[in-house]
Amino acid sequence: MTAADVFKITFIGKGAHAFEPQAGVDSVVMAGQFISNAQSIVSRAVDPQQPAVLTIGKVNTVDGCFNVVCEETVLEGTVRTFHNEALDKMEAAVAAYTDHIAAMHGGQVEVDYTRLLDAVHNQAQGSELLGQVVTDLYGADTLYPSKPIMASEDFGYYSQAGNGLFAVVGCGNAAKATNYSHHNARFDIDEDGLDYGATLYATYVLAYLNQAKF
C-alpha cells in the first residue's frame, strides 16, 4: 500500500461582477487550469516505473455565485505513491504549477501540503508464513495474494519502524448486502468476519513465536 500526502490549494484573485470580468482576477479559472494540468505531474515529472496517483477530490468557491467572478477557490486532494523520490517530485511540482498559474493570472496562491502516511511494506518471510497459516486454517482457496494497490494505511508507520505484515480479511457478503467497497455510501461489514480476523491474528502470532527463521 502506498504513502499518502494530502494538499489544500487556495487560489486568490479579485472579486468582480460577471458582467465586467476585466475588473477582477478569476480564481475559478486559475483552479481550472491547475486541475487540467495536474495530471501532467504524474505523466511527466515522475519516473513511469514509480506508479503515482494525484486526485483532486474537492473543489469549492468561497462565497461564489453564478454571476460573480469569485475571489477564492479551494481545491483539496491527495497524492499516492510507493516511492519517496516520487513524493518529493510531486510535492515540488504542485508548488511550482500553482505558483506559475497564479502569477500568470495576476493572482496569489496558498498551498498547504502534508506528508500524511508512509507506505506499507510487507516482510517477505512474514508473508510466506501468513500464507501457510491461512491455508492451514481455512484452505488454500481462501488465500488471495494481492498486487500492490494505491490505497494507504497508517500501519505504514509501523512497517517503517520495523518488520511488519499487513493482511486484509474480507467481510463482503452479498446475502447481507455487505459487498460494497469502502467509501461507497452503502458500505457495511459482515461482523462474522471479525471472528476470522481475530483467529488469524492469534494463530499467526503463535506461528511466528514458534519458528526461528526470522
Side-chain angles (χ1 to χ4, degrees):
M1 303 175 80
T2 64
D5 295 353
V6 296
F7 58 81
K8 180 179 179 180
I9 300 167
T10 303
F11 283 103
I12 304 167
K14 179 183 177 183
H17 196 287
F19 83 89
E20 52 175 2
Q22 76 282 2
V25 176
D26 198 336
S27 66
V28 173
V29 171
M30 290 187 279
Q33 291 198 352
F34 177 75
I35 293 169
S36 297
N37 287 283
Q39 297 311 316
S40 296
I41 296 174
V42 175
S43 66
R44 290 296 178 266
V46 176
D47 186 334
Q49 297 187 65
Q50 297 179 346
V53 170
L54 187 155
T55 296
I56 299 167
K58 184 177 180 180
V59 182
N60 183 50
T61 57
V62 179
D63 298 325
C65 189
F66 74 95
N67 61 345
V68 168
V69 173
C70 188
E71 187 163 320
E72 291 189 21
T73 300
V74 181
L75 312 177
E76 295 182 46
T78 184
V79 166
R80 307 292 176 96
T81 180
F82 299 98
H83 304 275
N84 288 332
E85 179 186 358
L87 286 178
D88 293 339
K89 288 184 177 180
M90 294 181 77
E91 180 178 3
V94 167
Y97 277 47
T98 53
D99 282 346
H100 287 300
I101 289 170
M104 183 170 60
H105 290 275
Q108 297 175 299
V109 66
E110 298 174 355
V111 178
D112 181 8
Y113 192 103
T114 303
R115 293 289 178 95
L116 186 65
L117 298 172
D118 291 326
V120 173
H121 297 285
N122 278 357
Q123 184 192 37
Q125 291 170 305
S127 296
E128 292 176 5
L129 179 60
L130 178 67
Q132 187 59 55
V133 170
V134 171
T135 300
D136 292 344
L137 280 173
Y138 305 119
D141 60 335
T142 66
L143 181 64
Y144 299 94
S146 174
K147 62 182 181 181
I149 60 174
M150 306 303 284
S152 298
E153 239 294 334
D154 51 12
F155 187 82
Y157 289 120
Y158 294 100
S159 67
Q160 295 295 325
N163 292 328
L165 180 64
F166 188 91
V168 177
V169 178
C171 61
N173 187 337
K176 297 182 179 181
T178 64
N179 56 329
Y180 297 96
S181 67
H182 58 298
H183 297 304
N184 185 295
R186 287 178 283 184
F187 172 75
D188 197 1
I189 68 168
D190 181 356
E191 293 186 3
D192 290 341
L194 298 176
D195 178 65
Y196 291 97
T199 300
L200 177 61
Y201 188 90
T203 306
Y204 177 84
V205 170
L206 290 173
Y208 172 78
L209 294 174
N210 288 323
Q211 58 84 41
K213 295 180 179 179
F214 63 99

